[in-house]
Amino acid sequence: MTGTSEMIVAYTILSFILVYYVNHLRSRMAELTTQLKIFSSDSEE
Amino acid sequence: MSDTDSSSSVRIGIGLTALGISGAIVTALMGVLYAPMVDSTAFNAPEAYRILYWHVPFAWSSFLAFCMLFLGAVAWYKDRSDWGWRWFSTGSDLGLLFGLGVITSGPIWGSAEWGVPWDWGDLRLNTFALLTGVALFLVLSRRSQPDGQETRDTLAAVGLFGFALVPITALATTWYQKRHPGIVLVNGEETGLDPAIRTVLMMGFLSFLILFIGLAMLSNEVIRMEERLEQSKMELDGGNKYDRNL
């Protein structure tokens, strides 16, 4: 056993954690931008 | 902060995050393809050591996040400043993100090298797990409790006490080394750390520092937008954002 499979598993999990958080920020930002636009157009009316 | 400042902050954050991720990928590739193999007679699973090229920068980034959390909590208590709360929130989010990375990749290496994923007698492992537990508690509490001055005071107090674990965790392997390896870069000269290994580690530190700054800027912006939305809702209701807990 040299630990190659463990290395691949670890890098996969760490990549998943990073990608998950970046995607969370991206989707949250898009959602908040939409909601803020709705509120600003409502307040203008 | 104006909308122009806000959008430039987002653009810089996206740029730094992309640069940091690219650097992290290069670090992983260098760790696998360029860094030399360790002495195969001294390690049970010599290839698994390459996990450290992300594991160590993840740990370092988590300490940065906890420092940010601490500064934010102090600023919140001192001036009740909104930026202090945003730093606290960003610090807890990033502390959880990088902390989770550390406590998942560490046991994978441990199970390959030591034969067991966790050592309940090791100070570094257990204090770091507690630290990540504190970050998890803070993130879940922020999301489940109504935002208000009392909630912020309580969570900031937990964050301040939780930060006490940072120096204990950082110095744990110096004070009480049982199973977790010591501080590799500081001890590098005396332990004969290979220059190629040191180069890849430094590349990892730089990449993750850039990534950390990019993620912190974006996370800060998300929290700012949430505050603006909350404020707009409260204005429509004719109150202010701290009314709900008073």
Side-chain angles (χ1 to χ4, degrees):
Chain A
M1 185 180 76
T2 61
T4 308
S5 56
E6 283 86 352
M7 180 186 71
I8 293 167
V9 169
Y11 275 110
T12 305
I13 292 173
L14 293 178
S15 303
F16 174 79
I17 290 172
L18 283 179
V19 169
Y20 174 84
Y21 188 68
V22 171
N23 188 52
H24 160 74
L25 286 178
R26 186 197 59 76
S27 60
R28 187 81 182 120
M29 210 170 264
E31 182 190 339
L32 286 166
T33 305
T34 309
Q35 288 186 8
L36 283 167
K37 273 183 190 160
I38 292 168
F39 264 92
S40 65
S41 61
D42 280 355
S43 60
E44 279 169 15
E45 284 168 15
Chain B
M1 192 187 238
S2 70
D3 284 350
T4 317
D5 292 339
S6 181
S7 63
S8 68
S9 167
V10 170
R11 275 200 300 274
I12 295 169
I14 290 171
L16 290 175
T17 302
L19 186 64
I21 287 177
S22 307
I25 292 169
V26 172
T27 302
L29 289 174
M30 283 174 74
V32 175
L33 304 172
Y34 168 74
M37 175 82 139
V38 289
D39 179 10
S40 57
T41 56
F43 286 82
N44 294 321
E47 282 292 346
Y49 103 92
R50 297 182 198 277
I51 292 171
L52 114 161
Y53 294 114
W54 270 22
H55 174 82
V56 176
F58 255 76
W60 192 67
S61 302
S62 74
F63 285 138
L64 275 182
F66 290 119
C67 290
M68 192 174 181
L69 181 155
F70 176 75
L71 291 175
V74 170
W76 170 254
Y77 271 121
K78 189 169 171 283
D79 302 324
R80 295 285 187 267
S81 64
D82 281 336
W83 75 262
W85 182 251
R86 281 198 297 273
W87 271 48
F88 177 83
S89 304
T90 300
S92 57
D93 283 354
L94 295 180
L96 177 61
L97 169 80
F98 289 110
L100 274 180
V102 174
I103 61 167
T104 48
S105 59
I108 292 171
W109 179 77
S111 63
E113 182 59 34
W114 303 330
V116 288
W118 199 265
D119 182 348
W120 292 105
D122 189 280
L123 186 62
R124 165 69 69 89
L125 300 184
N126 293 300
T127 51
F128 194 88
L130 268 177
L131 202 51
T132 307
V134 169
L136 177 67
F137 171 79
L138 294 175
V139 170
L140 293 180
S141 301
R142 266 181 34 239
R143 296 190 193 285
S144 62
Q145 299 301 307
D147 189 19
Q149 193 161 320
E150 288 173 2
T151 303
R152 292 184 177 194
D153 283 349
T154 307
L155 296 184
V158 174
L160 282 176
F161 283 109
F163 182 79
L165 287 167
V166 170
I168 297 173
T169 306
L171 295 170
T173 52
T174 308
W175 294 338
Y176 179 75
Q177 183 169 7
K178 190 170 180 189
R179 205 191 276 258
H180 191 285
I183 307 169
V184 283
L185 279 187
V186 174
N187 296 340
E189 295 294 338
E190 63 196 59
T191 54
L193 188 68
D194 190 290
I197 294 178
R198 181 184 282 261
T199 304
V200 182
L201 270 177
M202 294 311 292
M203 169 85 188
F205 283 144
L206 184 65
S207 304
F208 275 83
L209 175 64
I210 295 169
L211 177 62
F212 177 85
I213 296 169
L215 289 177
M217 288 178 81
L218 292 177
S219 179
N220 217 36
E221 198 50 44
V222 166
I223 294 161
R224 194 194 304 278
M225 289 166 84
E226 284 172 346
E227 285 176 351
R228 272 169 51 202
L229 184 66
E230 190 67 15
Q231 189 64 34
S232 303
K233 286 178 180 171
M234 296 307 282
E235 279 167 8
L236 274 180
D237 293 342
N240 72 58
K241 66 181 176 182
Y242 296 130
D243 278 356
R244 283 191 292 183
N245 272 11
L246 298 175

